[in-house]
Amino acid sequence: MAGKKQIESAVSAQDPLKQKGLSVTDSRRKILQLFMQQKGALSHGDIEKKAGATFDRVTIYRTLQTFLDKGIIHAIPSANNAILYALCHEQCGPDHHDHQHIHFICSRCKHTFCLDHSVTPDLHLPKGYQAQDIDVLVKGVCKRCNTTSK
Amino acid sequence: MAGKKQIESAVSAQDPLKQKGLSVTDSRRKILQLFMQQKGALSHGDIEKKAGATFDRVTIYRTLQTFLDKGIIHAIPSANNAILYALCHEQCGPDHHDHQHIHFICSRCKHTFCLDHSVTPDLHLPKGYQAQDIDVLVKGVCKRCNTTSK
DNA sequence: GTAACTGCAAAATATTTGCATCCTT
DNA sequence: AAGGATGCAAATATTTTGCAGTTAC
């Protein structure tokens, strides 16, 4: 058991799946990869498109749910029907999500980004209200769309 | 018919429907009333429950869409499938939505409130990003749940 | 009277569940 | 070998669309 453990830990650094005690399967690896490449948020539909017919629609549902449960990804609120998902950071666990970053939705290219370096507002809630978790959604024009031609 | 007209115009002051040039119908009046009573956000499903079998599910879809278009209500982002809607304020128009308030989701009673008196953050976006619209979602415990027994 | 709104039916989408099979550990 | 994950089929749920009848103005 000792030697095996060493190998696992060598791989696990790059593999959130093992860290969270999940079996490493093609679909999970692939979907995870999509998130890492994209460096932005994806909807179920996005994944389906990008993954092509690689695997079943149901598998995507289940995989996303599993990732959510394990704290590998988080859901980003949106006002249109499509729920978006993006990778969590290390400090997130199954129960504890700590996202002090801002979700930025570009109104031009429609991409959603997580901006980590932004500061969270200081809120002035009315008396009696107790904040536990804050999510900031900003709509606007992203860096790329801003610099490329209008 | 003359007497009827007088009654109608007396009502219109409090009636956003006429202000926006919409026909005043039972369903619209009823749904508007639900929002005003509730003083909180409602999902399509909430309305369906509260309205009972008063009118068709399709009418609710269409009414909500119409209200959105006219700027009578606004959609509140959420991370679960249910989209919420709440009344807009006077300064909102069809194109221009100005919601500098905070959307507060109570994790205990599951209600969503619009807190108007809260201040909007100063954001520090990375260079190149241009903000147009900001929405702040706060999860926590609302006033009522905080004061009533634990 | 006319344009707009509603209800009903049905189509199109989206999501969930059960079960047999296959894969990871 | 055993437990978990996937694929397929099918059951549900949600949202959209078309059209005929009704209502507001």
Side-chain angles (χ1 to χ4, degrees):
Chain A
M1 266 285 201
K4 193 177 173 188
K5 219 168 210 166
Q6 284 180 1
I7 296 173
E8 276 175 358
S9 62
V11 181
S12 68
Q14 78 206 46
D15 199 341
L17 297 177
K18 296 207 167 179
Q19 284 177 24
K20 305 285 178 174
L22 294 172
S23 321
V24 179
T25 64
D26 289 345
S27 42
R28 286 174 180 171
R29 201 163 17 212
K30 176 69 176 172
I31 291 178
L32 199 53
Q33 199 180 19
L34 286 178
F35 277 114
M36 295 196 294
Q37 284 174 3
Q38 172 78 15
K39 198 51 184 162
L42 296 170
S43 69
H44 176 104
D46 293 333
I47 294 171
E48 209 171 325
K49 273 177 230 144
K50 284 178 186 281
T54 317
F55 23 71
D56 202 81
R57 187 188 276 104
V58 176
T59 299
I60 299 177
Y61 281 112
R62 288 195 271 225
T63 302
L64 288 174
Q65 188 57 54
T66 303
F67 284 6
L68 275 181
D69 292 345
K70 295 292 180 177
I72 296 173
I73 59 174
H74 62 279
I76 299 177
S78 80
N80 46 19
N81 287 356
I83 300 177
L84 295 174
Y85 304 91
L87 287 179
C88 283
H89 296 124
E90 287 64 25
Q91 63 269 26
C92 292
D95 303 315
H96 176 66
H97 278 252
D98 188 18
H99 298 293
Q100 286 304 358
H101 62 259
I102 285 173
H103 291 130
F104 190 96
I105 302 134
C106 180
S107 53
R108 206 171 296 171
C109 68
K110 304 298 177 195
H111 278 56
T112 294
F113 308 89
C114 297
L115 302 183
D116 299 310
H117 312 301
S118 318
V119 174
T120 320
D122 66 323
L123 299 173
H124 301 285
L125 296 176
K127 239 188 142 124
Y129 288 85
Q130 198 175 16
Q132 290 169 342
D133 205 355
I134 299 167
D135 210 325
V136 179
L137 287 176
V138 182
K139 253 168 282 184
V141 183
C142 76
K143 192 175 187 172
R144 179 142 41 130
C145 288
N146 235 337
T147 48
T148 52
S149 71
K150 189 175 184 173
Chain B
M1 274 276 189
K4 192 178 174 187
K5 218 168 210 167
Q6 283 180 1
I7 294 171
E8 278 173 357
S9 61
V11 181
S12 71
Q14 78 205 45
D15 198 340
L17 297 177
K18 294 209 168 180
Q19 286 177 21
K20 305 284 179 174
L22 294 173
S23 320
V24 178
T25 65
D26 287 347
S27 41
R28 286 173 180 172
R29 199 158 24 206
K30 176 68 177 173
I31 291 178
L32 199 54
Q33 199 180 19
L34 285 178
F35 276 114
M36 295 196 293
Q37 284 173 5
Q38 172 79 13
K39 197 52 180 160
L42 296 170
S43 69
H44 176 105
D46 292 334
I47 294 171
E48 209 172 324
K49 273 177 230 144
K50 285 179 185 279
T54 317
F55 23 71
D56 202 83
R57 187 189 275 105
V58 176
T59 299
I60 298 177
Y61 280 111
R62 287 194 272 226
T63 302
L64 287 175
Q65 187 57 53
T66 303
F67 284 8
L68 274 181
D69 292 344
K70 295 291 181 178
I72 295 173
I73 59 175
H74 62 281
I76 299 176
S78 81
N80 46 19
N81 286 357
I83 300 178
L84 295 174
Y85 304 91
L87 288 178
C88 283
H89 297 122
E90 286 64 25
Q91 62 269 27
C92 291
D95 303 314
H96 177 65
H97 276 252
D98 188 16
H99 298 294
Q100 286 305 357
H101 61 258
I102 285 174
H103 291 130
F104 189 95
I105 302 134
C106 180
S107 53
R108 205 169 296 171
C109 68
K110 304 298 176 194
H111 278 56
T112 294
F113 308 90
C114 298
L115 302 182
D116 299 311
H117 312 304
S118 316
V119 173
T120 319
D122 64 324
L123 298 173
H124 301 286
L125 296 176
K127 239 189 141 120
Y129 288 84
Q130 198 176 16
Q132 290 169 342
D133 206 355
I134 300 167
D135 210 324
V136 180
L137 287 176
V138 181
K139 252 168 283 183
V141 183
C142 75
K143 192 173 188 171
R144 179 142 40 131
C145 288
N146 236 337
T147 48
T148 52
S149 71
K150 188 175 184 171

